[in-house]
Amino acid sequence: MSRRIKLQLNRVEGDLEIELEIKNGIVTDARCIGTMYRGFEQILIGRAPMDALAITPRICGICSTAHLYASVLALESVSNIIPPANAIRVRNICLLSEEIQSDCRQTFLMFTPDLCHSSYSTLNDYQSIVAKFQDMQGELYQDAIRFSRDIIEIVAIFGGQWPHSSYMVPGGVTSLPDRRKVINSLAQLQRYTQWFEHKILGTSLADWSRITSLAELNNFTQSSDSAIAILHRFCRDMGLDSVGSGSEKMISYGSLIDPENPQERIRSDGTYNYKLKKHAPLDESKITEDITSSWYHDESQTARHPMQGLTQPKYDPDSEKYSWAKAPRYDKDVIQTGPLAQLAVAKDPLILDMLAQNGSSTWTRQFARIHRQASSLIILKDQLSSLLECLDAPTMIHCPLEDGEGVGMIEAARGSLGHWLKIEDGKIKNFQVITPTAWNASPRDINQQPGHIEQSLIGLPMPDLDEPIEIGHVVRSHDPCLVCTVHLLGSGKKHRFGVT
Amino acid sequence: MVNKKITMLWMQAGACSGDTMSLLCADRPSWPEFVEQYGIDVIWQPSLSTRPMSELMEDIDAIINDKLILDILCVEGSLALGPNGTGMFDTLNDQPKAFVIKQLAEKANNVVAVGTCAAFGGVPAAPPNPTESTGMQSFQGESGGLLDNGFKSRSGQPVINISGCPTHPNTIIQTLISLVEGYPLDLNHFNQPGEFYSTMVHQGCTRNEYHEYDIEEEHFGEPGCLFYNLGCQGPYTSATCNTELWNNRSSKTREGVPCLGCVSPDFPRNAPLFKTEKVGNIPVALPLGVSRPRYMAYKDLANDAAPIRIIERKMKP
């Protein structure tokens, strides 16, 4: 028996709805539906190019630093300007602090509360899971609110406030770093690191970085009661290490510009196919956006490179189109992005081994978001220390704004983020944004290829249609913040239920 | 403290979630402390609730049918009325979200617009306003909001606008406390609570000494004042940014970013945001209430009086 159900997901970055077809307790088809359109790209057209630094951060309250960073890179690329090393350090410090904040909140406020669901009460460690992760009450839920607030103070120290500031400008940063700011930041970082080592990892960052295979991880987690150990055991008992893989192809624009060598990224860019175990260099010209299934109008009917991109909304509920999201493709292929892809492309040995053994499963993806913090905390300390060593060096060079085309590509907390812009007569002529969630939650393209999240749901067992908590784990591991409502369609009876 | 649980429902419309993120940064008190200490029954907070969404839909029905009392409705994000007035740019359960929120507002004891989008339309309502977005009871400070000018919630108040992009963390949490405790809000002309909107952003800016002696910057990354050339709105924007610092630490102007006037009804104003509009060499908009001839006289004198340590920009902002 085949049934179609529709699932509504309320996410932080906008609203998402998922329509599923279920046959014999298995998801046989999935459609990801973006239910909100805000029109940022249209608002930017005609404005002063600098205004992008105020407008694009407001696309997302969680990754506003990443949008600011992408916009400033796009503006600088028009004039071929590379800012001084200290400006890059300040930008990296802020981006890393935002990323750590996001990984922390996503894990402990969005993902782990679901594990406290009573249907898992018979699994080992359930009492510990509830004590640590229950929403509002759990020890680590409360800690996460406190420590994420602490670490994000670093952005305010250098950028004035978080979210939504505009301290990165073409040529550098507006703030003047001094020793007080660095020492203040190091104190915040130290506080977070101690918590993370003590309660999350159960070991030091240095010892953690020596775990480079799944076997070593299993070994470590067997004899520890740290959060990561309990989560590793529990999520594997739940079977989350064998579902929700999605696309085998992964993309990263490269995380953090290397201040010493600005053409390079600290975590390298590129693509990775984990089934073929093949890394490849990134080719920006292979990125296109397809609108076959999206409520936009384009007479040319072909997928466009974002520099030639058009955003002309045309709502048509009676057509085959079903989403406000466009479908980004890389070399015409569906590709996934996020911490897992970022670490795989950067050849993190533990992540490559987990991918080889468990695929890009729901747990591997969520694990990557916790694991990434360990190396990010080390890089953040390194960036602050290097800044301290040469505080007198400049943080700004003159950057005239010229007409032309520019692109800014960086890794936000959720994955690859790109801004493409054209400036003509001193004004923004065109602006196109491809967010990480656009990559992951894309609808079907002209070849009817389902998007990455769609693929990760197809084949998922759904034994209990009245309580499809599995869907929530899989979708949340992609880092949308969501709550779900499911309608059972076609049976004459309409159900709504949530994923808790 | 109150004995009875206060019900609160937080809806996100055309939002970036920035105000929710701001809420999580509040610490006097924090969000969990507020919920516990003030006896709040959180019916829904979209980023934080783990209740099944089916229960939200049931509770919305119950509120609309007068079966559940809603003490505080918080709205985050602009209300999209497009395309063509249908509201279908932003839907909840196949319904235009703006119209669901309108029904809830009509039943709520208090309605709070959190952030400039919900208060006045904000960024999505900027020209060409492609989504036909507006605020709860105001479109950029004028009529044309989702609710009409005469709207009053059941407690007799209009929509309480705590604008900001995002709103300051403690402005959110302390306005909610004021509602729970029944403290007077002293709403101003834009229905903003006077407690949080009666201080110029300029006040407390650590670049004030430069402003005082008319030492103004033309380029970013310098220590001087940002008002004269770089578009700073601090001298005519009312908010607590420099008197209750952001994230316990700083403010945009202290770190060299001009105030963008993000609490104002016309934010983001339809002009280059990082440039000061001038007639001749005098800014079109002067510090609030200051007359042009007197301002010019004062500036000339101030510039003459500037000490060397300021002229040479030796003072750290």
Side-chain angles (χ1 to χ4, degrees):
Chain A
M1 180 185 152
S2 171
R3 294 203 274 192
R4 290 191 81 75
I5 64 174
K6 204 172 182 186
L7 205 129
Q8 292 195 324
L9 317 172
N10 188 344
R11 303 176 309 125
V12 165
E13 269 191 288
D15 297 345
L16 192 70
E17 196 170 272
I18 286 180
E19 198 176 273
L20 300 173
E21 196 171 278
I22 318 286
K23 208 170 180 178
N24 302 325
I26 303 278
V27 176
T28 52
D29 195 12
R31 283 174 175 228
C32 234
I33 306 167
T35 65
M36 184 168 76
Y37 172 71
R38 284 185 297 159
F40 269 75
E41 290 156 336
Q42 284 164 287
I43 289 164
L44 283 158
I45 292 172
R47 292 197 75 116
M50 285 288 286
D51 288 1
L53 306 175
I55 305 284
T56 69
R58 269 97 182 165
I59 292 173
C60 176
I62 302 171
C63 351
S64 66
T65 305
H67 279 283
L68 175 63
Y69 206 154
S71 274
V72 83
L73 287 181
L75 290 170
E76 284 170 345
S77 78
V78 175
S79 309
N80 273 315
I81 291 284
I82 291 172
N86 268 5
I88 298 174
R89 290 191 182 102
V90 170
R91 292 176 183 185
N92 286 346
I93 287 162
C94 293
L95 187 65
L96 277 164
S97 304
E98 177 174 275
E99 177 202 291
I100 293 164
Q101 166 270 151
S102 180
D103 285 351
C104 175
R105 286 181 177 164
Q106 193 278 337
T107 301
F108 299 113
L109 305 188
M110 318 294 171
F111 185 84
T112 54
D114 294 350
L115 309 182
C116 304
H117 194 275
S118 60
S119 64
Y120 302 122
S121 61
T122 56
L123 295 182
N124 287 337
D125 291 321
Y126 180 73
Q127 296 308 325
S128 305
I129 289 282
V130 172
K132 285 184 193 303
F133 302 123
Q134 181 80 52
D135 70 302
M136 297 301 267
Q137 309 297 326
E139 180 196 354
L140 292 179
Y141 187 99
Q142 296 191 354
D143 277 1
I145 289 189
R146 195 175 128 212
F147 286 97
S148 62
R149 190 176 64 212
D150 262 12
I151 196 80
I152 207 65
E153 287 184 18
I154 295 175
V155 181
I157 289 170
F158 290 101
Q161 70 175 58
W162 185 90
H164 296 345
S165 189
S166 310
Y167 49 96
M168 303 181 198
V169 293
V173 292
T174 62
S175 70
L176 303 162
D178 60 21
R179 201 167 294 119
R180 280 158 57 200
K181 289 176 188 172
V182 179
I183 293 172
N184 278 333
S185 301
L186 283 167
Q188 294 306 102
L189 171 63
Q190 188 57 24
R191 208 169 282 164
Y192 189 95
T193 303
Q194 275 183 355
W195 170 71
F196 193 74
E197 289 182 327
H198 179 60
K199 291 204 182 160
I200 309 303
L201 298 181
T203 186
S204 69
L205 296 179
D207 283 348
W208 178 260
S209 69
R210 284 189 269 276
I211 299 174
T212 54
S213 70
L214 181 56
E216 287 165 33
L217 178 66
N218 288 338
N219 198 25
F220 172 84
T221 56
Q222 269 163 24
S223 56
S224 171
D225 272 325
S226 68
I228 190 82
I230 293 173
L231 286 172
H232 186 65
R233 297 196 297 258
F234 198 79
C235 289
R236 282 156 62 96
D237 283 353
M238 289 166 68
L240 294 184
D241 57 341
S242 61
V243 296
S245 281
S247 169
E248 68 210 56
K249 302 184 185 83
M250 304 176 152
I251 191 167
S252 166
Y253 295 165
S255 171
L256 307 165
I257 293 171
D258 184 349
E260 316 279 341
N261 188 3
Q263 303 304 334
E264 301 294 324
R265 302 283 168 122
I266 293 176
R267 292 185 184 118
S268 54
D269 61 0
T271 62
Y272 182 61
N273 183 316
Y274 74 83
K275 287 198 175 149
L276 303 177
K277 297 188 178 172
K278 192 167 171 258
H279 284 92
L282 182 70
D283 180 352
E284 182 265 345
S285 69
K286 289 181 176 168
I287 297 170
T288 54
E289 282 194 295
D290 179 298
I291 57 161
T292 305
S293 301
S294 316
W295 285 312
Y296 298 96
H297 173 64
D298 184 354
E299 280 173 0
S300 80
Q301 301 289 338
T302 52
R304 286 170 179 262
H305 182 272
M307 196 61 85
Q308 274 72 49
L310 276 179
T311 303
Q312 300 178 131
K314 192 180 179 207
Y315 181 59
D316 186 359
D318 300 323
S319 70
E320 287 180 357
K321 294 175 183 277
Y322 63 90
S323 180
W324 286 114
K326 296 181 188 175
R329 294 291 181 261
Y330 183 79
D331 205 10
K332 297 182 182 151
D333 273 335
V334 176
I335 199 158
Q336 64 166 302
T337 189
L340 178 61
Q342 188 188 102
L343 295 177
V345 168
K347 301 185 181 165
D348 180 290
L350 175 57
I351 290 297
L352 291 181
D353 191 46
M354 287 178 83
L355 280 171
Q357 303 209 36
N358 292 335
S360 82
S361 69
T362 295
W363 172 238
T364 311
R365 187 175 297 108
Q366 188 60 41
F367 174 85
R369 199 165 284 111
I370 306 171
H371 173 60
R372 175 170 68 173
Q373 290 179 62
S375 59
S376 291
L377 288 166
I378 293 171
I379 302 171
L380 178 51
K381 187 166 186 185
D382 180 55
Q383 297 282 305
L384 282 163
S385 305
S386 321
L387 183 61
L388 195 56
E389 281 164 23
C390 52
L391 272 171
D392 293 335
T395 46
M396 190 77 194
I397 53 167
H398 182 57
C399 178
L401 284 179
E402 296 164 3
D403 280 7
E405 295 184 346
V407 54
M409 298 166 75
I410 57 136
E411 287 286 294
R414 289 181 166 114
S416 303
L417 169 68
H419 289 185
W420 285 261
L421 72 86
K422 258 185 216 177
I423 303 175
E424 205 174 282
D425 299 328
K427 289 184 174 168
I428 294 170
K429 171 84 174 168
N430 201 10
F431 207 106
Q432 293 284 308
V433 175
I434 302 183
T435 61
T437 302
W439 283 108
N440 288 334
S442 72
R444 278 157 174 72
D445 57 28
I446 195 155
N447 298 318
Q448 290 304 307
Q449 297 185 93
H452 166 60
I453 292 181
E454 293 178 340
Q455 289 183 25
S456 73
L457 291 167
I458 295 170
L460 187 73
M462 248 180 73
D464 185 358
L465 281 184
D466 285 328
E467 196 135 37
I469 46 182
E470 298 81 4
I471 303 284
H473 303 316
V474 174
V475 177
R476 282 192 178 98
S477 78
H478 298 279
D479 194 5
C481 161
L482 71 135
V483 282
C484 312
T485 300
V486 179
H487 310 262
L488 210 52
L489 301 177
S491 63
K493 173 173 100 163
K494 194 168 166 185
H495 272 292
R496 283 202 295 260
F497 51 94
V499 174
T500 61
Chain B
M1 292 294 150
V2 287
N3 298 319
K4 184 179 133 294
K5 282 260 182 187
I6 304 285
T7 56
M8 187 180 136
L9 174 61
W10 183 299
M11 298 291 286
Q12 278 177 344
C16 70
S17 216
D19 295 298
T20 291
M21 289 299 115
S22 193
L23 176 71
L24 285 176
C25 291
D27 67 341
R28 292 187 290 272
S30 71
W31 165 251
E33 287 166 345
F34 165 67
V35 170
E36 194 190 323
Q37 291 166 12
Y38 289 85
I40 308 300
D41 173 6
V42 184
I43 297 174
W44 193 253
Q45 208 299 337
S47 297
L48 301 171
S49 285
T50 53
R51 299 178 70 206
M53 200 151 166
S54 56
E55 292 180 14
L56 167 67
M57 304 315 293
E58 284 163 14
D59 285 347
I60 288 177
D61 280 350
I63 292 163
I64 290 171
N65 292 306
D66 290 319
K67 289 177 181 153
L68 175 63
I69 291 171
L70 176 58
D71 292 304
I72 303 173
L73 171 67
C74 291
V75 180
E76 173 181 6
S78 61
L79 294 309
L81 304 181
N84 305 316
T86 61
M88 295 306 281
F89 275 132
D90 184 16
T91 59
L92 173 71
N93 217 13
D94 298 331
Q95 302 297 309
K97 206 185 267 174
F99 302 133
V100 175
I101 289 172
K102 188 173 186 180
Q103 287 178 290
L104 288 168
E106 282 159 0
K107 302 293 182 179
N109 285 331
N110 298 282
V111 182
V112 184
V114 186
T116 301
C117 288
F120 307 120
V123 171
N129 193 358
T131 52
E132 299 162 48
S133 278
T134 189
M136 283 296 290
Q137 199 179 357
S138 164
F139 176 77
Q140 298 175 349
E142 309 288 332
S143 56
L146 177 71
L147 302 162
D148 62 40
N149 277 351
F151 170 85
K152 298 266 194 275
S153 65
R154 284 187 166 175
S155 67
Q157 306 237 49
V159 173
I160 298 153
N161 290 325
I162 46 173
S163 56
C165 192
T167 307
H168 191 290
N170 291 337
T171 297
I172 304 176
I173 211 93
Q174 292 177 8
T175 299
L176 294 175
I177 289 172
S178 300
L179 282 173
V180 172
E181 296 286 51
Y183 301 147
L185 288 169
D186 301 326
L187 298 181
N188 66 16
H189 174 66
F190 292 121
N191 293 334
Q192 298 161 319
E195 195 73 27
F196 308 100
Y197 297 89
S198 303
T199 311
M200 291 295 151
V201 169
H202 174 66
Q203 181 72 7
C205 176
T206 51
R207 291 161 190 265
N208 260 352
E209 218 183 4
Y210 289 96
H211 182 84
E212 201 176 327
Y213 293 110
D214 196 30
I215 302 300
E216 302 282 344
E217 300 301 358
E218 287 180 37
H219 301 289
F220 291 108
E222 303 288 340
C225 179
L226 312 165
F227 168 67
Y228 208 84
N229 300 304
L230 296 172
C232 186
Q233 309 278 297
Y236 31 82
T237 301
S238 297
T240 56
C241 301
N242 270 310
T243 43
E244 179 152 359
L245 296 180
W246 277 85
N247 314 88
N248 280 326
R249 293 289 170 175
S250 196
S251 70
K252 289 209 295 292
T253 63
R254 290 182 177 203
E255 300 312 326
V257 182
C259 167
L260 300 171
C262 75
V263 299
S264 304
D266 65 345
F267 174 78
R269 63 192 194 281
N270 194 20
L273 297 172
F274 296 93
K275 202 171 167 184
T276 305
E277 200 187 340
K278 293 181 198 166
V279 173
N281 61 359
I282 301 294
V284 170
L286 296 178
L288 197 64
V290 175
S291 81
R292 185 162 300 271
R294 286 173 194 273
Y295 179 77
M296 290 166 73
Y298 150 69
K299 277 291 156 188
D300 285 345
L301 282 173
N303 194 279
D304 286 346
I308 296 292
R309 62 185 173 82
I310 293 291
I311 293 169
E312 292 185 351
R313 293 168 170 78
K314 295 219 163 126
M315 308 316 288
K316 280 188 180 190

